Amino acid sequence: MKKSENNNYLDKIPVQNPKHTWDKNDKDEVTIYIENTGVFNRAAQKLLKKPKVTNIHLEGLGNFIWPLIDGERSIYDIGLLVKEEYGEEAEPLFPRLVTYMKTLESYDFITFK
């Protein structure tokens, strides 16, 4: 399979942020737990009854992709596994996957090696 024009990005290795924990339920749905820390968050928790931990529920392909982010596989490698599992349903695979990884990075859910 030929790599797209995002070659450099596809070679990156995503790593889950160790500050966030996660688990998978019996339906293979992933939930990421984000602890709300800092002065502003503590004030919001006391004054506005905001939660100490925010639960982020992934959907669709995200439930399959998240556990594959192990600090060893590149984005390209993850894409091959997604293609194997979902076939044409995942297309256009690599542009979508790169966008998804950029989104995860922007929310500080992952970093790259």
Side-chain angles (χ1 to χ4, degrees):
M1 183 172 290
K2 183 178 148 193
K3 293 184 184 182
S4 74
E5 70 274 357
N6 290 317
N7 278 347
N8 292 338
Y9 216 87
L10 293 176
D11 291 335
K12 289 187 174 197
I13 297 173
V15 179
Q16 294 175 3
N17 186 331
K19 293 189 300 186
H20 309 311
T21 59
W22 66 279
D23 68 11
K24 224 177 188 186
N25 66 18
D26 56 353
K27 296 179 184 176
D28 285 338
E29 297 167 332
V30 172
T31 301
I32 302 171
Y33 304 100
I34 301 174
E35 187 176 355
N36 298 312
T37 59
V39 174
F40 176 75
N41 282 314
R42 273 188 244 124
Q45 289 162 15
K46 289 182 188 238
L47 299 172
L48 304 173
K49 307 289 187 224
K50 295 294 180 181
K52 289 184 179 186
V53 176
T54 300
N55 300 335
I56 307 296
H57 304 283
L58 300 184
E59 297 179 346
L61 291 175
N63 290 310
F64 180 78
I65 293 169
W66 184 259
L68 299 175
I69 300 172
D70 61 1
E72 300 295 323
R73 294 180 180 102
S74 69
I75 294 175
Y76 182 75
D77 296 334
I78 292 169
L80 294 178
L81 294 170
V82 171
K83 178 75 172 170
E84 184 179 306
E85 181 74 18
Y86 289 93
E88 292 301 313
E89 182 183 340
E91 294 299 335
L93 175 60
F94 290 108
R96 285 176 71 189
L97 188 56
V98 167
T99 299
Y100 186 66
M101 293 294 177
K102 286 179 180 180
T103 302
L104 291 176
E105 180 185 31
S106 75
Y107 286 108
D108 197 32
F109 292 165
I110 65 169
T111 57
F112 294 102
K113 278 195 201 177

